[in-house]
Amino acid sequence: MPATPAGNDPLDQFILRPELLTPDIISLEFLPLPETAVANATVDLSRFFTEDSAQVKRFRALERLIDRQLQAFQAEKGVKSVVTLGDMEKIRTWLNPNTLYLYDKNAPIVSLDWMPVDTHALVGELMRLCKETQTWIAPLRTRPLPGTWKNIIRLPFDIIKMQDSRTDRYNSFFGQAMHELIHHAEFERGLHQTENWAYTAYKERNATFWDYQFQAVSDIAQAEEILMDDARESEFFAALDRLLNAFLGMQQWEAGKAVAGIQNIKQERYQTWGPDHAQLHDLMGISMRSRAILEHYDSGVCGARLAVAARLIIWRLSFDAEAQKVRQQALQFTRLHAMSDQEAQEHMQMIDAQLHAKRLAFEKEFEATYYPPPLPGE
């Protein structure tokens, strides 16, 4: 039944089909099962889904949760003025009940009372996913085949209850929801359809970048609050430490380098994938760049202490970038001169030793500037 028009509510433009009657099937290629376990195991999963009314409530609650966070992360100056966590109009495009199922910890997706023998492995894997405490996304496909695609997003919190939450975990819930919506938006745009990539690695290039950058800009916002408050002089160095670490991490993620903590890193090609900033902005309105923040601080608009902090951080980032450039040039030198493996190894060891000595000297100078000696009597 078409939704009843109700003013300008964006959800009212969608036809909310009764989910208990919609014949959806799981797409087997996305489940980590052996081929023998899923051969001819396509199963109609429509009976596993809850009624439209609960879906509508979750969609509206999640939209409200996201909108509140976006509104809260705005300011006339500071990191909140140069970073955009998202554009609600763009995000609303992906909160579409015709292309997405939305579930949380209070909405069981499958029932234990029906598990045919010939589909035991398939439904069993779906059950395993449903019991996990973390977020996940899984594609479905509607009948008749080839049908159309629709995703399930499962979030491990009560979406309806958390729309008005003011707990410390609110940021975490918002971050988890945005991560999965990035996946959904990429899938809807068909960005996964290419031949020269590791599928999971590509999907995570933007979503995992979001995870770190969102945490980093949240840390930066707290540190800058201290640095802009003259009454919190005693907290200056701790806040500066926090700021420096956040920017060092941001630069690594922007370059696609800080990937060691990603699950199954050895099986994927995360190292080769930096985030696609244009895609993030186009899909979700997300813009989080370390350079924009540092240039904002360096302008002096946030006060003298943040301007000084920015210059110290830029100094450190510049040294790291220069060291990386020198090493890349040394590698090119070994190839240009067709060095043997042993010669190339010895050359790189010499370059690394030189860089190490330069780093020690730089860090000594940086620490003397960054941590000035205590005054007499301190």
Side-chain angles (χ1 to χ4, degrees), residues 261-282:
I262 300 176
Q263 187 178 9
N264 299 324
I265 180 63
K266 293 181 180 179
Q267 286 75 44
E268 301 292 355
R269 300 178 193 166
Y270 290 97
Q271 302 96 312
T272 65
W273 296 103
D276 191 317
H277 297 287
Q279 280 182 2
L280 277 168
H281 188 265
D282 178 48

Side-chain angles (χ1 to χ4, degrees), residues 192-241:
H192 61 294
Q193 296 175 355
T194 181
E195 296 178 356
N196 61 348
W197 56 297
Y199 179 81
T200 306
Y202 183 85
K203 280 193 75 176
E204 294 296 340
R205 68 184 299 186
N206 290 329
T208 306
F209 169 78
W210 155 263
D211 291 340
Y212 184 87
Q213 298 296 73
F214 174 53
Q215 182 60 56
V217 297
S218 298
D219 287 345
I220 288 169
Q222 295 178 27
E224 76 173 23
E225 184 178 340
I226 295 171
L227 293 170
M228 286 194 293
D229 186 349
D230 292 338
R232 303 176 73 173
E233 183 69 33
S234 62
E235 302 173 70
F236 176 80
F237 287 115
L240 191 55
D241 255 337

Side-chain angles (χ1 to χ4, degrees), residues 125-189:
E125 178 62 18
L126 191 61
M127 285 295 299
R128 183 192 66 78
L129 285 173
C130 294
K131 291 178 180 178
E132 287 188 354
T133 59
Q134 299 191 13
T135 62
W136 51 267
I137 186 169
L140 301 175
R141 188 165 51 190
T142 59
R143 284 180 174 172
L145 298 179
T148 57
W149 288 104
K150 189 168 183 176
N151 283 320
I152 298 176
I153 285 180
R154 194 269 185 179
L155 299 172
F157 56 88
D158 186 327
I159 297 172
I160 295 173
K161 181 179 179 181
M162 292 314 300
Q163 68 179 317
D164 295 315
S165 171
R166 297 190 181 278
T167 67
D168 291 338
R169 297 194 62 198
Y170 180 77
N171 273 6
S172 173
F173 298 143
F174 166 74
Q176 289 172 330
M178 289 288 286
H179 179 110
E180 300 306 333
L181 283 172
I182 289 171
H183 286 325
H184 176 56
E186 289 175 328
F187 191 87
E188 283 291 293
R189 283 283 181 87

Side-chain angles (χ1 to χ4, degrees), residues 7-275:
N8 295 321
D9 192 322
L11 284 177
D12 290 331
Q13 66 182 290
F14 301 121
I15 299 174
L16 301 177
R17 295 167 295 198
E19 291 166 290
L20 289 173
L21 302 178
T22 303
D24 286 343
I25 61 172
I26 196 78
S27 174
L28 306 182
E29 62 188 295
F30 293 98
L31 292 179
L33 297 172
E35 291 183 6
T36 54
V38 298
N40 300 316
T42 297
V43 58
D44 185 345
L45 296 178
S46 60
R47 64 182 298 172
F48 294 135
F49 294 95
T50 59
E51 69 282 357
D52 269 345
S53 60
Q55 280 287 296
V56 172
K57 289 178 181 177
R58 282 192 286 274
F59 270 94
R60 287 183 170 142
L62 185 59
E63 181 178 329
R64 182 178 178 184
L65 183 153
I66 292 172
D67 188 49
R68 285 183 63 243
Q69 181 66 13
L70 296 182
Q71 294 295 329
F73 206 86
Q74 295 183 25
E76 293 184 359
K77 64 179 180 179
V79 63
K80 294 182 180 181
S81 69
V82 292
V83 161
T84 306
L85 299 185
D87 182 304
M88 198 62 229
E89 290 304 312
K90 292 181 177 181
I91 294 168
R92 194 175 281 119
T93 300
W94 312 116
L95 285 171
N96 181 343
N98 286 331
T99 61
L100 179 67
Y101 286 118
L102 189 58
Y103 290 91
D104 62 18
K105 70 175 186 178
N106 295 326
I109 299 178
V110 299
S111 170
L112 282 171
D113 63 0
W114 188 78
M115 192 179 292
V117 174
D118 62 341
T119 59
H120 188 278
L122 175 64
V123 179
E125 178 62 18
L126 191 61
M127 285 295 299
R128 183 192 66 78
L129 285 173
C130 294
K131 291 178 180 178
E132 287 188 354
T133 59
Q134 299 191 13
T135 62
W136 51 267
I137 186 169
L140 301 175
R141 188 165 51 190
T142 59
R143 284 180 174 172
L145 298 179
T148 57
W149 288 104
K150 189 168 183 176
N151 283 320
I152 298 176
I153 285 180
R154 194 269 185 179
L155 299 172
F157 56 88
D158 186 327
I159 297 172
I160 295 173
K161 181 179 179 181
M162 292 314 300
Q163 68 179 317
D164 295 315
S165 171
R166 297 190 181 278
T167 67
D168 291 338
R169 297 194 62 198
Y170 180 77
N171 273 6
S172 173
F173 298 143
F174 166 74
Q176 289 172 330
M178 289 288 286
H179 179 110
E180 300 306 333
L181 283 172
I182 289 171
H183 286 325
H184 176 56
E186 289 175 328
F187 191 87
E188 283 291 293
R189 283 283 181 87
L191 300 180
H192 61 294
Q193 296 175 355
T194 181
E195 296 178 356
N196 61 348
W197 56 297
Y199 179 81
T200 306
Y202 183 85
K203 280 193 75 176
E204 294 296 340
R205 68 184 299 186
N206 290 329
T208 306
F209 169 78
W210 155 263
D211 291 340
Y212 184 87
Q213 298 296 73
F214 174 53
Q215 182 60 56
V217 297
S218 298
D219 287 345
I220 288 169
Q222 295 178 27
E224 76 173 23
E225 184 178 340
I226 295 171
L227 293 170
M228 286 194 293
D229 186 349
D230 292 338
R232 303 176 73 173
E233 183 69 33
S234 62
E235 302 173 70
F236 176 80
F237 287 115
L240 191 55
D241 255 337
R242 189 173 184 177
L243 205 64
L244 174 63
N245 289 332
F247 279 106
L248 289 172
M250 284 188 79
Q251 188 187 56
Q252 286 185 303
W253 279 99
E254 288 171 345
K257 301 295 182 183
V259 295
I262 300 176
Q263 187 178 9
N264 299 324
I265 180 63
K266 293 181 180 179
Q267 286 75 44
E268 301 292 355
R269 300 178 193 166
Y270 290 97
Q271 302 96 312
T272 65
W273 296 103

